Amino acid sequence: MNAPVLSHIAGVPEPSHAELANAIRFLAIDAVETARSGHPGMPMGMADVATVLFSRFLKFDAADPSWPDRDRFVLSAGHGSMLLYALLHLTGYEGMTSDQLRAFRQWGSKTPGHPEYGHTPGVETTTGPLGQGIATAVGMALAERLLNERFGSELVDHHTYVIAGDGCLMEGISHEAISLAGHLRLSRLIVLFDDNQISIDGATSLSCSDDQLARFKAAGWSACRIDGHDPEAIAAAIERARNHDRPSLIACRTVIGFGAPNRQGTEKAHGAPLGADEVAKTRAALGWPHQPFVIPDAVMAQWRKIGGRGQAARRSWIERTRRLNAEPRSPFHDGLNRKLPAEYRATMDRLRARFGTEQPNIATRQASQLVIDAIAEALPNLLGGSADLTHSNLTRARTQQPVRRDSFAGSYLHYGVREHAMAAAMNGIALHGGFIPYGGTFLTFADYSRPAIRLAALMGIRVIHVMTHDSIGLGEDGPTHQPVEHLASLRAIPNLLVFRPGDAVETAEAWDCALQAETSPSVLCLSRQALPSFRDASGGPNRVARGAYVLIEPPAGRDVTLIATGSEVAIAIEAARLLAADHVEVAVVSAPCLDLFRQQPTDYRKTVLGSAPRIGIEAAVEGEWARWIGDDGEFVGMTGFGASAPAEMLYREFGITVEAVADAARRCMARFRTTARNA
Ligand SMILES: Cc1ncc(C[n+]2csc(CCOP(=O)(O)OP(=O)(O)O)c2C)c(N)n1
């Protein structure tokens, strides 16, 4: 779809391209100046590119920032946030007033230091950690192709544009991302590279001599270099890219801080206000006599017209979707509304009941495989994948076909050995809408995905990480593959739900929680080794949803409480039996999600934890367990890295055994009695 060229506004002299671009430049300059902090150089350098993109190509309607068939615009170089805020203001996004620009980087403003999704309408994804934006955009472009294949070009037909800087392309994640996008031939992805050869320390030649064009071409992209200040060259390159059958890189040779006589072309323009003197000189050099934040009427009118360019396209899209609305239910709308279809509930409940009745002795990764098999059909918008560990993660449902560059009908992504790009792409898929992405790797490699997981948590989006081989229980692969600190470190990320289910029923319940968590990403930590079932078939509510719950309550009051997660729940149950033989009254608590438990009302938490001494059991480092076991308790777990040996021997050698738990319980009870006597 070719973008309409703007028509002239009657009676008003049409502003030049330079005036439109200078409006962006000076809003950025003056906002940074007012805030006394920020990055003016990048918006000044990329103002011409952004002006051409928004005025001639980008399909958007400022009146409806969430119109599903809009083009996506990702500012991967998030430090240049004022470029985006200036565009949102000029094109007329609701709420993006000039007061907001004056409040750049201040408490409560819509204009934080780096763009934040969910905080500012028109911001498609949170950026700032360099490289994340371009990798997230790969997920968006992928989601577009997948939806296009399912619902056709009438409903889904848009591009994903990215502005990325040298920093984004230096980050390792960009390699994974461009490699994946090139492999899948995501031709609707267009990266506008701010090729200004400057980063914070100075010239990029200090640290980088990559031939970016050759690099992208080698990954299967089309690539070209243009003068990033020549509007016609920019337009021609974007036009070519839109018609290419591959993703496209347009290296836009620009001058950082364009127009600032003493700063342009140097790192001094990157990340500090220009200062009053230089601002005045820039105003003179670029012929912009206007006061800060004042945009001449004709320029503003033209920008507002640009903001409404997509109105007709949006209206006709709405017309086309009306016929879908006429149907009782459409998978298209279900997907975009992010709702779970009705069939899902019945399928999940049936499976949970089946696990409860059959009491399978299987690894939780196997239980997860059965969950995925069962729900994949009920959830047509479930989009699976793995970073080359499909057969270990057990993430592919029988019914899922792989996505290939020549067939986007599939619903399973072979992400390759690219954990970081997988996590970022899943963010992009979730942000785009239309799918619930999940992807697998080993828990120990969560570190490779962590920056993208953190952003998912910050953005509050539903992305599900299936992370198997969750402890020393994986055995012979040894300490490189045995996570010990990962549970603690993932639990430290706010708004991330870390689940460690202990049997098949809990695995189904954890999946159910993750799927229903519309504003939180989840990590499902699953065992490689088989685990006995401990939950019965008695239906009832999803117990994992409360984070921790009492599995065994002794009728005559508690002498001690054993709290365990995942594979260690079975150890706690055995230890309780051993202690019961000595007439010790033991409660067992299963705690599959400490994050959810933290959110429960105090009364509930007190009831679960009890007042007897508590033993925490988890084959990992202690982390936040100190809170749950208190001063009277003990932790049975890992204190360092694991080792290469069969799992049973490792549990024995590292002292995570039924006997060790029973001993810890006796010690704590004895200490507790002494303290009570002395009190
Ligand atoms: C992962 C990450 N590392 C470091 C930074 C800090 N940082 C912000 S901008 C920047 C330099 C980026 O250079 P470039 O992309 O060329 O931007 P330009 O100087 O052209 O604005 C750095 C190192 C960051 N934001 N993210």
Side-chain angles (χ1 to χ4, degrees):
M1 195 184 299
N2 271 335
V5 173
L6 286 174
S7 60
H8 182 63
I9 307 169
V12 183
E14 191 171 357
S16 65
H17 164 86
E19 284 176 291
L20 295 176
N22 284 340
I24 299 175
R25 287 193 175 97
F26 282 94
L27 288 175
I29 290 170
D30 292 326
V32 172
E33 214 56 29
T34 307
R36 296 203 180 87
S37 88
H39 301 76
M42 183 273 184
M44 293 169 74
M46 284 299 275
D48 292 308
V49 173
T51 299
V52 172
L53 176 64
F54 274 65
S55 65
R56 303 201 208 175
F57 295 100
L58 196 75
K59 184 170 70 163
F60 76 110
D61 181 355
D64 185 357
S66 54
W67 164 34
D69 200 30
R70 69 194 181 281
D71 285 344
R72 304 303 194 265
F73 172 66
V74 172
L75 187 70
S76 191
H79 57 280
S81 56
M82 263 314 302
L83 177 82
L84 182 50
Y85 301 149
L87 287 161
L88 298 178
H89 169 65
L90 290 166
T91 54
Y93 279 73
E94 199 184 338
M96 189 50 85
T97 58
S98 73
D99 282 348
Q100 292 297 335
L101 303 185
R102 285 174 224 265
F104 179 48
R105 294 185 155 231
Q106 305 308 308
W107 177 262
S109 77
K110 292 280 171 209
T111 48
H114 295 84
E116 292 178 31
Y117 170 79
H119 184 83
T120 311
V123 171
E124 300 282 6
T125 179
T126 298
T127 52
L130 297 172
Q132 291 293 332
I134 186 172
T136 303
V138 170
M140 293 177 179
L142 178 55
E144 192 272 346
R145 284 296 83 191
L146 294 164
L147 284 176
N148 174 275
E149 181 75 29
R150 283 156 178 72
F151 300 105
S153 299
E154 289 269 281
L155 294 186
V156 186
D157 179 24
H158 53 267
H159 285 80
T160 301
Y161 294 96
V162 181
I163 287 185
D166 294 293
C168 291
L169 300 194
M170 285 190 212
E171 287 292 349
I173 188 173
S174 74
H175 181 76
E176 296 179 25
I178 68 170
S179 166
L180 181 61
H183 172 74
L184 289 171
R185 298 251 162 98
L186 298 179
S187 59
R188 297 308 190 87
L189 178 63
I190 298 174
V191 173
L192 299 151
F193 165 34
D194 180 17
D195 184 15
N196 62 19
Q197 299 176 297
I198 292 287
S199 64
I200 291 183
D201 278 2
T204 50
S205 59
L206 287 169
S207 58
C208 188
S209 33
D210 294 351
D211 177 341
Q212 296 292 4
L213 265 57
R215 177 185 174 216
F216 276 74
K217 281 183 188 160
W221 289 53
S222 85
C224 69
R225 175 166 280 121
I226 56 159
D227 174 352
H229 298 298
D230 174 349
E232 295 318 312
I234 299 164
I238 295 177
E239 192 59 53
R240 274 198 308 277
R242 285 159 57 89
N243 292 310
H244 215 288
D245 62 357
R246 289 165 185 253
S248 295
L249 173 82
I250 304 172
C252 309
R253 185 50 60 83
T254 61
V255 177
I256 190 169
F258 180 91
N262 302 303
R263 295 266 174 117
Q264 64 180 358
T266 74
E267 68 274 19
K268 291 198 194 80
H270 167 92
L274 298 180
D277 188 42
E278 184 74 355
V279 171
K281 287 183 175 135
T282 310
R283 279 196 150 74
L286 292 178
W288 189 266
H290 318 291
Q291 290 299 305
F293 304 106
V294 172
I295 306 293
D297 289 348
V299 175
M300 188 54 118
Q302 188 76 350
W303 267 116
R304 287 292 149 94
K305 206 167 172 206
I306 292 167
R309 256 181 60 236
Q311 251 168 39
R314 180 169 70 88
R315 288 212 185 99
S316 89
W317 182 87
I318 291 170
E319 276 307 309
R320 294 196 297 277
T321 56
R322 285 239 157 90
R323 56 167 189 259
L324 277 172
N325 279 333
E327 292 177 14
R329 205 208 92 220
S330 110
F332 182 65
H333 284 111
D334 271 358
L336 291 176
N337 293 337
R338 298 160 200 240
K339 294 285 170 232
L340 301 173
E343 291 88 335
Y344 165 75
R345 188 69 272 144
T347 306
M348 182 53 93
D349 289 347
R350 252 197 321 273
L351 183 70
R352 194 161 67 105
R354 196 187 109 199
F355 282 158
T357 311
E358 291 177 1
Q359 298 274 295
N361 191 331
I362 55 177
T364 49
R365 65 176 171 144
Q366 283 172 301
S368 168
Q369 165 83 80
L370 295 172
V371 172
I372 294 167
D373 272 332
I375 62 175
E377 281 178 86
L379 280 181
N381 57 346
L382 194 65
L383 187 64
S386 167
D388 201 43
L389 286 169
T390 297
H391 307 300
S392 301
N393 302 145
L394 304 180
T395 34
R396 182 173 162 190
R398 277 188 313 267
T399 50
Q400 286 172 331
Q401 296 304 314
V403 174
R404 294 196 317 262
R405 67 163 70 139
D406 54 357
S407 166
F408 285 94
S411 52
Y412 192 81
L413 263 294
H414 290 285
Y415 284 103
V417 193
R418 302 185 185 99
E419 295 85 3
H420 200 176
M422 173 175 76
M426 289 202 291
N427 290 351
I429 291 163
L431 288 164
H432 180 280
F435 294 100
I436 304 172
Y438 72 88
T441 185
F442 289 155
L443 180 57
T444 195
F445 303 137
D447 290 341
Y448 279 59
S449 315
R450 190 180 170 91
I453 296 176
R454 181 175 189 271
L455 277 188
L458 177 58
M459 291 190 277
I461 53 175
R462 177 173 49 187
V463 170
I464 303 173
H465 293 268
V466 178
M467 300 215 168
T468 66
H469 297 57
D470 70 347
S471 74
I472 53 166
L474 67 87
E476 292 83 346
D477 268 339
T480 54
H481 284 49
Q482 292 159 356
V484 286
E485 78 282 24
H486 299 74
L487 290 169
S489 82
L490 290 169
R491 283 175 186 145
I493 298 180
N495 193 37
L496 176 66
L497 300 176
V498 181
F499 294 94
R500 190 164 185 255
D503 75 352
V505 171
E506 280 197 353
T507 305
E509 290 181 342
W511 259 106
D512 194 21
C513 290
L515 287 163
Q516 294 193 61
E518 288 181 28
T519 56
S520 299
S522 299
V523 180
L524 303 175
C525 306
L526 305 173
S527 75
R528 172 180 186 256
Q529 72 276 29
L531 305 176
S533 281
F534 50 78
R535 280 283 297 283
D536 63 22
S538 60
N542 177 332
R543 304 192 82 184
V544 170
R546 303 211 79 169
Y549 61 94
V550 180
L551 201 56
I552 300 173
E553 185 72 82
R558 301 180 184 185
D559 293 322
V560 68
T561 300
L562 309 181
I563 312 171
T565 76
S567 41
E568 286 68 72
V569 177
I571 294 178
I573 294 169
E574 279 306 306
R577 288 201 186 108
L578 192 68
L579 289 162
D582 288 346
H583 308 290
V584 179
E585 301 292 337
V586 188
V588 175
V589 169
S590 175
C593 184
L594 293 175
D595 309 280
L596 287 176
F597 187 53
R598 250 185 263 134
Q599 295 168 21
Q600 300 305 308
T602 317
D603 284 354
Y604 177 77
R605 289 204 312 265
K606 278 189 174 161
T607 311
V608 171
L609 295 173
S611 50
R614 298 185 283 272
I615 312 296
I617 312 147
E618 184 168 75
V621 300
E622 186 170 336
E624 74 172 70
W625 277 96
R627 170 174 179 186
W628 306 118
I629 55 188
D631 289 341
D632 301 319
E634 268 191 40
F635 179 67
V636 177
M638 299 292 290
T639 52
F641 294 114
S644 175
E648 276 175 30
M649 174 170 284
L650 292 172
Y651 271 89
R652 212 167 46 242
E653 291 296 325
F654 288 112
I656 306 172
T657 60
V658 172
E659 293 72 24
V661 171
D663 288 348
R666 290 193 188 97
R667 267 197 308 276
C668 288
M669 282 158 40
R671 267 203 309 271
F672 193 63
R673 274 196 296 271
T674 315
T675 319
R677 257 201 312 275
N678 295 342

